[in-house]
Amino acid sequence: MPMDVPMVEVEGAGMVYGTGEAAVRALDGVDLAVRRGEMLALVGPSGSGKTTLLMILGCLLRPSAGEVRVDGAPVAGLAPAVLGALRLSRMGFIFQGYNLFPALTALENVQLALDLKGRDLDEGADLLHRVGLGARLNSYPRQLSGGEKQRVAVARALAGEPGIILADEPTAALDTANGLGVVELLHELAQAGRAVVVVTHDPRVAGLADRIVRIQDGRIAA
Amino acid sequence: MTGKRHWGMGMAGLLGWRNLAHDRSRFVVTLTGIVFAVVLFTMQVGLFLGFQDSTTTIIRHTGADLWVLGKGARNFEITLPIQERELYLVRSVPGVERAEPLIVQFVPWKKPGGGDESVIVVGFDLNSGLAGPWGLVAGDAAELRRPATVAIDTLFADKLGVPGAGEGKEATVEINGHRARIVAMTQGIRSFTTSPWVFTSLRTAFDLTGFNEDRSNYVIAKVAAGADVTAVRDSLRAILPRCDVYASEEFAAMTRDYWMFTTGAGASVLVSAVLGLLVGAVIVAQVLYATTVDHLAEFGTLRAMGAPSAFIYKVILGQAVISAVLGHVLGIAVSLLVAKGSEAGAAVILVPLPLAGSLFGVTLAMCVGASLVSIRKAMTIDPAMVFQR
């Protein structure tokens, strides 16, 4: 893939929830391209459409209008199973509520993602070492602090070395020190050649981003 | 691919197992539900088998190969008398080693403390080696040679008002207006009709039942070594037009089918067994559905990550299989204990090992079937939900 092709992009993306009088336009004519090595922060008030845009970029939501392309290829006609496979191979997700599997240890949470991607499970320990959790491999999520849980989530998102990392409010539940640690980690991932998109209200995240995109009433604000 | 594979279960199996076992109290509730379901239907099926077994217990223990009885009878307990000449005809057929009369008759039993019970007198030829009592735990069957002596089963001693019989205590009773002495006790000879068996000699049976000595309910026959039972049976049918002739297995099957399928008694046990199965299936469906619903958010995460449907199927079906194995093992263990305890009662519950094995298929089918309902729930989750919490 040529270096100048965006890793993920939307063109004229619109999203309407509901129908008739109950219809709500969450996104309207958004054009956005995220390139390799770039950390992009999506900011804006609550309900502005940031998370909707993130879900569309992550192929979790089909837009009502416009086109989504991953590595330059449109995804509109792909079946749900193919979209799932695309997410699995090209994307890593980090959720506000961590979404770890409580019955699995930190290592097993990462190994589960590796297993899904057909990778060697031994890589799990390496990934957790990379995010500074080498000493907590066998801890369950309930035994970890919020910052540690989010680091496990980052390690899980990195399983299989996906090119695109999509994070939804990754520091919202963290204190200052832990939040900063996670933000720096995401920045490092972008510097290592990934495309990182972060939805955030956190000025620390925005401060480290290569580009800030402000969403207002479903549109990109000037 | 290399690396640890978690005891061959794969990550899907591991997640299924951990989802079940992680919350101990939830796991106990789930297992309890499945064990209860397994015990419920095993008990019902075991009770059905126990009843079924009790319908043919005398036939199976007589040692006879062939049964000659009045035309049209459909079970062991109720038959019309046949004449002595039939006995001699049977003895005349080549291939018959020996043939003896057998009396089986309902008569009233007056309890020593007052009150009446119905019993079934089984009068047999003490010299024939056919149709005598088995499982003696007190007294001596040879004592039955004495006039007016009988053997009863310990299971029915209380019911018949002779609780101390067989424990060194002399027990004289009144049967159909005749006095008789209990000289032997058996253990475990049950009666489907709930009327206890009373074994006695042919001579005493004539007195107790009021049968003329040229009458009996049956002629039972043993064929000679090397003779073909079916061929002998056919020969007997040819010369006994006023009688029915059956091989033992045929007669047992006819009696069993009569009691189990053409009377309300057997049908009610059968319906209970089927209801036990249905109730068990509903319980299992509910507990496994609840287990999946408890983890819906995690299935949403898997779908958001892009996990293929097969992986989610494996997780949920893995839970079902693990639940089935553990629930079945524990359920059968409990059932075997209950079945063992039932041996001392009038209604035995039979849980033979082949039944325990084959019921695993039922347990597995119930668990997997219940899981299929919950799979639909897991597969229809919108993966975008993970961003909407």
Side-chain angles (χ1 to χ4, degrees):
Chain A
M1 185 181 65
M3 294 293 284
D4 57 341
V5 172
M7 298 190 86
V8 58
E9 62 186 315
V10 293
E11 191 175 318
M15 187 68 206
V16 178
Y17 293 109
T19 55
E21 289 184 5
V24 175
R25 183 172 294 279
L27 220 54
D28 187 13
V30 171
D31 298 326
L32 182 68
V34 190
R35 297 177 191 282
R36 182 184 304 276
E38 180 181 37
M39 178 169 162
L40 186 149
L42 288 176
V43 300
S46 295
S48 58
K50 305 186 298 292
T51 301
T52 295
L53 179 56
L54 188 74
M55 289 192 286
I56 289 172
L57 289 168
C59 303
L60 287 164
L61 197 62
R62 289 184 194 274
S64 309
E67 187 170 83
V68 183
R69 287 188 286 273
V70 176
D71 298 330
V75 302
L78 301 181
V82 180
L83 280 179
L86 181 70
R87 287 198 298 274
L88 198 56
S89 62
R90 298 293 295 131
M91 298 175 187
F93 292 92
I94 300 166
F95 309 103
Q96 180 179 345
Y98 321 122
N99 289 50
L100 298 178
F101 296 93
L104 300 181
T105 64
L107 179 61
E108 289 162 349
N109 264 281
V110 179
Q111 286 179 328
L112 186 141
L114 288 166
D115 187 58
L116 286 172
K117 296 178 183 201
R119 302 288 291 243
D120 187 344
L121 301 194
D122 289 340
E123 294 175 20
D126 297 337
L127 288 168
L128 284 167
H129 277 287
R130 276 172 64 185
V131 298
L133 285 179
R136 308 303 303 268
L137 299 182
N138 297 314
S139 298
Y140 287 91
R142 67 174 185 278
Q143 298 167 320
L144 300 173
S145 69
E148 288 172 326
K149 284 182 206 171
Q150 200 58 293
R151 284 171 180 273
V152 175
V154 172
R156 184 175 68 181
L158 289 176
E161 304 292 341
I164 304 160
I165 302 289
L166 301 166
D168 182 36
E169 302 277 11
T171 60
L174 304 182
D175 59 28
T176 304
N178 278 311
L180 196 59
V182 170
V183 174
E184 285 170 350
L185 200 52
L186 292 174
H187 190 243
E188 285 170 21
L189 296 177
Q191 287 185 322
R194 290 180 181 80
V196 178
V197 181
V198 186
V199 166
T200 186
H201 283 103
D202 189 339
R204 294 167 301 179
V205 180
L208 272 178
D210 300 305
R211 185 155 58 114
I212 299 172
V213 173
R214 179 171 296 279
I215 308 288
Q216 185 92 36
D217 297 328
R219 293 171 173 273
I220 293 180
Chain B
M1 192 191 316
T2 61
K4 199 166 126 188
R5 277 292 158 203
H6 299 286
W7 313 290
M9 289 195 293
M11 291 308 298
L14 179 72
L15 183 59
W17 161 242
R18 290 285 183 78
N19 277 353
L20 278 175
H22 184 65
D23 181 343
R24 297 264 168 87
S25 50
R26 185 87 183 83
F27 187 41
V28 168
V29 169
T30 302
L31 264 190
T32 302
I34 297 170
V35 168
F36 180 78
V38 170
V39 171
L40 179 67
F41 68 72
T42 304
M43 289 296 90
Q44 293 296 341
V45 174
L47 204 55
F48 179 78
L49 292 181
F51 274 126
Q52 187 171 275
D53 184 77
S54 69
T55 60
T56 59
T57 186
I58 302 287
I59 300 171
R60 288 181 287 110
H61 281 87
T62 56
D65 297 314
L66 291 166
W67 292 72
V68 179
L69 54 149
K71 202 97 182 154
R74 297 180 63 197
N75 63 76
F76 173 73
E77 286 81 356
I78 306 166
T79 58
L80 290 173
I82 56 177
Q83 305 220 5
E84 193 175 29
R85 62 185 295 271
E86 320 290 4
L87 171 64
Y88 296 117
L89 283 171
V90 172
R91 284 176 175 164
S92 71
V93 170
V96 172
E97 182 181 293
R98 71 181 304 140
E100 303 296 342
L102 180 72
I103 291 174
V104 177
Q105 189 68 28
F106 282 92
V107 294
W109 167 293
K110 191 176 285 296
K111 293 196 279 190
D116 291 317
E117 278 290 343
S118 169
V119 298
I120 306 175
V121 167
V122 179
F124 66 102
D125 186 333
L126 283 152
N127 298 317
S128 69
L130 298 173
W134 66 95
L136 260 70
V137 291
D140 185 353
E143 287 287 298
L144 292 174
R145 293 181 183 282
R146 296 177 183 277
T149 55
V150 298
I152 64 167
D153 198 278
T154 52
L155 291 173
F156 302 109
D158 285 348
K159 178 183 171 110
L160 295 176
V162 286
E167 296 169 5
K169 187 174 164 185
E170 181 75 16
T172 302
V173 295
E174 185 181 323
I175 305 170
N176 201 19
H178 299 268
R179 293 181 73 77
R181 205 157 46 87
I182 299 171
V183 295
M185 300 292 291
T186 60
Q187 173 79 57
I189 305 181
R190 293 177 177 79
S191 167
F192 179 77
T193 64
T194 73
S195 292
W197 305 109
V198 174
F199 291 91
T200 188
S201 68
L202 211 47
R203 172 66 262 163
T204 301
F206 285 130
D207 295 336
L208 297 182
T209 61
F211 266 43
N212 290 328
E213 293 191 19
D214 62 349
R215 301 289 171 95
S216 67
N217 297 93
Y218 297 97
V219 172
I220 53 177
K222 185 94 183 151
V223 303
D228 179 51
V229 173
T230 305
V232 176
R233 180 200 66 186
D234 292 344
S235 301
L236 287 171
R237 283 178 176 171
I239 64 163
L240 297 168
R242 290 182 303 243
C243 296
D244 285 330
V245 184
Y246 298 106
S248 275
E249 296 76 19
E250 294 170 332
F251 189 43
M254 187 173 77
T255 295
R256 185 176 58 236
D257 291 350
Y258 175 80
W259 287 119
M260 301 311 294
F261 301 115
T262 64
T263 70
S268 66
V269 180
L270 187 61
V271 168
S272 293
V274 173
L275 284 179
L277 199 64
L278 291 177
V279 172
V282 169
I283 293 169
V284 168
Q286 284 185 328
V287 295
L288 286 180
Y289 185 78
T291 300
T292 300
V293 168
D294 278 354
H295 295 279
L296 272 187
E298 291 159 43
F299 291 118
T301 302
L302 281 172
R303 283 175 54 76
M305 289 166 67
S309 300
F311 187 88
I312 296 174
Y313 287 152
K314 277 186 200 170
V315 173
I316 297 176
L317 289 176
Q319 289 176 188
V321 171
I322 292 166
S323 301
V325 170
L326 293 178
H328 186 75
V329 168
L330 291 173
I332 289 296
V334 172
S335 300
L336 288 172
L337 285 176
V338 176
K340 184 75 182 165
S342 77
E343 287 175 5
V348 72
I349 295 167
L350 294 180
V351 186
L353 285 180
L355 171 70
S358 57
L359 284 182
F360 175 67
V362 176
T363 310
L364 188 62
M366 280 200 306
C367 290
V368 170
S371 294
L372 292 178
V373 178
S374 59
I375 277 177
R376 189 176 174 280
K377 186 86 177 167
M379 297 309 294
T380 52
I381 298 173
D382 179 3
M385 70 170 277
V386 292
F387 285 118
Q388 294 166 336
R389 297 203 299 167

